[in-house]
Amino acid sequence: MEIQKILKNRRLELGLTMREVANALGVSEGTVSRYESGEIQNMGIDKLETLAKILRCSPVYLMGFDPPVKSSDLLPNEAQILLLFRELNSDGQNKLIERAEELRDLGYIKGENVKMA
């Protein structure tokens, strides 16, 4: 799939407007429109990384190299998290993401022992 289609599809999946993406990215709504239409093809790496965070995916996925996860690829716990995530409104989804990042930053990483102070 072409990058501009991936951008638009992902934005729509998340229920975001072009204006919301533009504000978070620090560009005009017209710039986001030109990204999605393919008119702007050379996006800076800094914009790509930020856009991936806004669209809650990896830069590799946005570039079309990383296929989306299929439900058959999910472990039972991952599927449960996804279902819970989808039940939440956008504020709840953001809080869930923040909490997951906090746990990661505290050292709750697969294959690593958590060091307690």
Side-chain angles (χ1 to χ4, degrees):
M1 186 182 294
E2 296 176 7
I3 293 172
Q4 61 266 25
K5 289 180 182 174
I6 293 170
L7 292 174
K8 183 175 184 177
N9 288 344
R10 186 66 185 145
R11 177 180 63 78
L12 294 174
E13 283 174 7
L14 295 172
L16 298 172
T17 65
M18 279 192 217
R19 174 169 284 150
E20 290 170 325
V21 173
N23 289 341
L25 194 56
V27 299
S28 71
E29 190 174 344
T31 299
V32 173
S33 176
R34 289 191 297 279
Y35 287 154
E36 290 186 2
S37 71
E39 189 177 329
I40 296 177
Q41 295 182 1
N42 295 321
M43 184 186 311
I45 189 73
D46 60 323
K47 295 292 185 207
L48 182 66
E49 289 176 3
T50 304
L51 190 55
K53 288 179 184 176
I54 295 165
L55 298 177
R56 300 179 192 150
C57 60
S58 70
V60 175
Y61 173 73
L62 287 182
M63 293 186 301
F65 300 123
D66 191 16
V69 176
K70 298 177 197 153
S71 59
S72 61
D73 294 338
L74 296 176
L75 298 172
N77 287 344
E78 291 172 321
Q80 182 180 5
I81 295 279
L82 184 56
L83 290 172
L84 289 169
F85 180 85
R86 289 180 177 171
E87 289 178 14
L88 300 172
N89 64 22
S90 62
D91 289 338
Q93 290 174 348
N94 289 333
K95 288 186 183 296
L96 183 59
I97 291 167
E98 289 171 9
R99 183 63 179 137
E101 289 172 342
E102 288 172 12
L103 291 170
R104 179 202 57 213
D105 294 345
L106 286 171
Y108 289 90
I109 297 172
K110 188 160 98 176
E112 293 185 16
N113 291 327
V114 178
K115 297 175 181 117
M116 296 294 187

